[in-house]
Amino acid sequence: MVCQKLYYLQKCLLLVILAFIATFRGDAQCNADFSYSIDSNTGEVQFTNLSTLANVNQAVTYTWYSNPAIVLSNDTNPVIHLKPGLQSICLAIANAGCNDTFCTTINMPPVHCRATFQYSLDFTMDTVTFTNNSSGLNLNYYWSFGDGNYSTEQHPKHRFATNGWYYVCLNIVNTDTTCTDVTCEFVRINRNSPSPCVGDFSFETDTADSYNVQFTNTTLGDTGITYFWLFGDTVTSTLKDPTHRFDTIGNYTVCLLVSGPNCADSICKIVEIINIIPFCKADFSYALFPDSGNNATRIAVFTNKSVGPNLTYEWRFNDVNPTAEVSPVHYFGVNGTYNVCLIVRSGVLCTDTLCKQISIETGLPEFNSLSGVTVYPIPARNVLHITFNKPIASLVTLKLFDVLGNDKTISLQKGIDNIEVGITDLPAGFYILELKTDTEVKTIRIMK
C-alpha cells in the first residue's frame, strides 16, 4: 500500500516537471482576442483586450494595427479614433515565446454630432450671449446672426442694432469633415420702447375644402410691422393675411412673428385639420335670346355658379342627352316648358342638384314694315352697317347681345333709313342683333 501511494506521487511530480520544462521552452499556448464598443458621437472605438497569455509572469507585447499594417496602438485596452466605413482591425500578442493574432472587421457609422445652443439677453450691456452646447469631437463653429454678421467663436456675444426677430444659425463641422450639423432659432430682441406691439391672429377653415385655412392678422401696436408665419409644416409666409392649405389631417402649431421699428412679439395657436365631408352646392343662372329663324326665344345661355372643390357637372335639358360642359349654350327646338337640371359632384362624398323650369314661347311678330333690313359686312370688323328699305316710322331699340347676355343698346329715332354701329371694342365672337319696338321684333345673327 505504501509503495502504491509512492508511485502516484512520483507520477504527479513528473507531470509538474514536464509542464515547467514546456513553459521554459515556449511550448505553452496563448490566444489573442478582443471586443469593442463604438461611440458614434466622436468616432472613437473602445477596445477591451480578452487575450489569454502563455505565462502571466513574463513580459507581453500588444500591437493593434489596421490592415494594411498600420500600427494604431500598443496599449492593453486602447481607445482609437476610426473613420466611417469598413475597417479591418487586428491585435497581435507575444508572450513567453508564444505569438498569436486576431482580426475582425468593424463597420464604422458616420460620426454623429449635434448642434445646439442657448442664449441670454443682457440689455444693461446691450448684448446677447450665446452658449454653445453642441456635442462632437474636434469641432469648428460658424455662427450667422441673421443681420448680416457672423462669428467663428465657440461662445460669441453679439449686439443687434434694432428690435425684431433674428434667425440665428449655428453650423458645426469637425476637423476631418466627417460630421456636420446645423441648428437655427428665432431670437427675439425687444428692448423697452414707447411703441410696443402685440401679435395676434384668427383663422377660419374653408367650408368647401377643410384643408384650406384663411388667417386674419389682428396685430396691434407699432407702425411699419413686418410679419413672418410658420405653419408647422415647413411652409412659411411673409403676407399679412395668408391663406394656407395643409396636406394632411392633424394638429399644427401655427406661429406668427411680428417685428416693428420699436418692437417684436410672437403668438402661436393650434390649428386642427380634420377630414370633413366636402361642401358642394349647385347653382346657375340663364339668359334667353331670340332665334333669327322664327323670332322665338329659343337660345339659352347658362352661367354656372356652383361652389365646391374639384367639381364635375352634368346638365340635363329634358330634350337631349346630358352634357358635362361647365356653362353650356342650349337651343330649344320647339315651344314648351323644360325642366333644366344641373347636378354637381365633389368626388364621391358630395352631390347636389338644382332644377329650374324654363318656358320657351313664340316671340313678338317680325317687323312687317322693315322686312328689308340689311346688315353688312358679316363677319364685321370695326363698323356694322344697318340699312332699312324705307325710313322707319316708329322708335326702335337696337341691342347687340353676346353669348353671356351682355348687350350694347342704341335707340333709333324716327325717319332714319340707315345707321352705323361701332364695334371696335367688342371681342371676336358670335352676337345676336335685335331690333325691337313695343309690338314687333327682328333678330339677326352676326359674327365678328
Side-chain angles (χ1 to χ4, degrees):
M1 179 66 70
V2 176
C3 292
Q4 191 175 12
K5 290 182 179 180
L6 181 61
Y7 168 78
Y8 284 111
L9 181 59
Q10 290 173 341
K11 185 176 180 180
C12 182
L13 181 59
L14 178 61
L15 291 175
V16 173
I17 294 172
L18 291 175
F20 176 78
I21 295 173
T23 300
F24 180 76
R25 291 179 178 177
D27 295 336
Q29 297 297 311
C30 58
N31 182 45
D33 192 14
F34 62 84
S35 65
Y36 62 90
S37 61
I38 298 173
D39 186 344
S40 59
N41 290 322
T42 63
E44 293 179 333
V45 181
Q46 171 67 65
F47 290 93
T48 301
N49 198 325
L50 303 176
S51 302
T52 56
L53 303 179
N55 189 336
V56 295
N57 297 316
Q58 293 192 28
V60 58
T61 60
Y62 300 104
T63 304
W64 301 82
Y65 64 93
S66 61
N67 193 8
I70 300 176
V71 176
L72 302 174
S73 177
N74 295 114
D75 295 338
T76 303
N77 298 295
V79 175
I80 302 175
H81 183 269
L82 299 179
K83 291 185 178 181
L86 292 173
Q87 299 193 47
S88 179
I89 303 299
C90 299
L91 168 61
I93 66 172
N95 170 245
C98 176
N99 297 280
D100 192 33
T101 300
F102 173 73
C103 297
T104 191
T105 299
I106 299 177
N107 187 8
M108 287 295 296
V111 177
H112 293 168
C113 54
R114 182 171 179 267
T116 181
F117 67 88
Q118 295 175 310
Y119 67 92
S120 60
L121 286 69
D122 185 354
F123 289 135
T124 60
M125 300 296 294
D126 208 21
T127 59
V128 179
T129 299
F130 293 91
T131 303
N132 193 329
N133 298 321
S134 303
S135 60
L137 188 67
N138 300 322
L139 297 177
N140 295 318
Y141 308 98
Y142 304 92
W143 294 83
S144 171
F145 296 111
D147 61 354
N149 293 298
Y150 306 89
S151 175
T152 57
E153 297 179 26
Q154 184 176 4
H155 305 289
K157 291 185 178 181
H158 183 66
R159 183 187 184 279
F160 295 90
T162 61
N163 286 341
W165 286 94
Y166 296 88
Y167 199 49
V168 178
C169 293
L170 167 61
N171 194 324
I172 61 174
V173 181
N174 63 0
T175 53
D176 58 5
T177 69
T178 56
C179 178
T180 180
D181 192 30
V182 63
T183 184
C184 298
E185 185 174 344
F186 283 97
V187 175
R188 175 188 174 189
I189 305 300
N190 196 24
R191 303 177 182 89
N192 293 330
S193 68
S195 302
C197 54
V198 180
D200 199 6
F201 66 90
S202 61
F203 58 90
E204 183 177 2
T205 300
D206 190 340
T207 57
D209 183 358
S210 61
Y211 292 83
N212 208 46
V213 180
Q214 172 65 55
F215 293 90
T216 302
N217 199 321
T218 57
T219 298
L220 301 175
D222 199 7
T223 59
I225 293 177
T226 59
Y227 309 96
F228 192 85
W229 295 83
L230 300 99
F231 297 110
D233 58 358
T234 73
V235 180
T236 61
S237 174
T238 56
L239 298 177
K240 181 181 179 182
D241 301 299
T243 298
H244 180 62
R245 192 178 195 282
F246 297 88
D247 291 333
T248 59
I249 62 175
N251 292 333
Y252 295 84
T253 301
V254 178
C255 295
L256 169 61
L257 282 62
V258 297
S259 298
N262 302 294
C263 72
D265 196 22
S266 67
I267 185 172
C268 297
K269 296 183 180 182
I270 301 296
V271 176
E272 182 181 12
I273 303 300
I274 59 176
N275 192 13
I276 63 175
I277 297 176
F279 170 82
C280 62
K281 181 176 178 59
D283 191 17
F284 67 89
S285 62
Y286 65 91
L288 298 176
F289 300 94
D291 174 29
S292 61
N294 54 27
N295 293 308
T297 304
R298 301 191 185 281
I299 301 172
V301 177
F302 294 89
T303 301
N304 197 327
K305 297 181 178 180
S306 304
V307 293
N310 305 316
L311 292 179
T312 60
Y313 309 100
E314 180 182 346
W315 291 85
R316 298 180 180 179
F317 299 107
N318 197 214
D319 64 340
V320 294
N321 293 330
T323 178
E325 295 180 60
V326 178
S327 297
V329 176
H330 188 69
Y331 179 81
F332 295 94
V334 296
N335 292 343
T337 300
Y338 296 86
N339 192 41
V340 176
C341 295
L342 169 60
I343 304 172
V344 299
R345 297 181 179 88
S346 176
V348 297
L349 298 178
C350 184
T351 300
D352 192 40
T353 302
L354 175 65
C355 297
K356 295 183 180 181
Q357 288 190 340
I358 298 178
S359 296
I360 302 299
E361 300 176 356
T362 302
L364 295 173
E366 184 178 332
F367 277 117
N368 294 321
S369 59
L370 299 176
S371 59
V373 174
T374 302
V375 180
Y376 66 92
I378 298 177
R381 298 187 67 180
N382 298 321
V383 177
L384 190 66
H385 298 272
I386 304 172
T387 62
F388 308 93
N389 61 349
K390 60 182 179 180
I392 58 176
S394 62
L395 295 177
V396 179
T397 300
L398 181 152
K399 289 187 177 182
L400 195 60
F401 294 94
D402 64 16
V403 295
L404 297 180
N406 302 313
D407 67 86
K408 182 173 185 175
T409 303
I410 299 176
S411 295
L412 306 182
Q413 300 299 320
K414 296 180 181 180
I416 64 173
D417 58 6
N418 69 85
I419 186 173
E420 294 182 353
V421 179
I423 58 173
T424 304
D425 58 330
L426 298 180
F430 167 76
Y431 293 87
I432 298 293
L433 175 64
E434 178 189 80
L435 300 168
K436 186 176 182 181
T437 67
D438 291 338
T439 59
E440 300 172 308
V441 65
K442 182 175 181 63
T443 60
I444 302 171
R445 296 184 184 180
I446 66 171
M447 290 287 294
K448 178 184 177 184

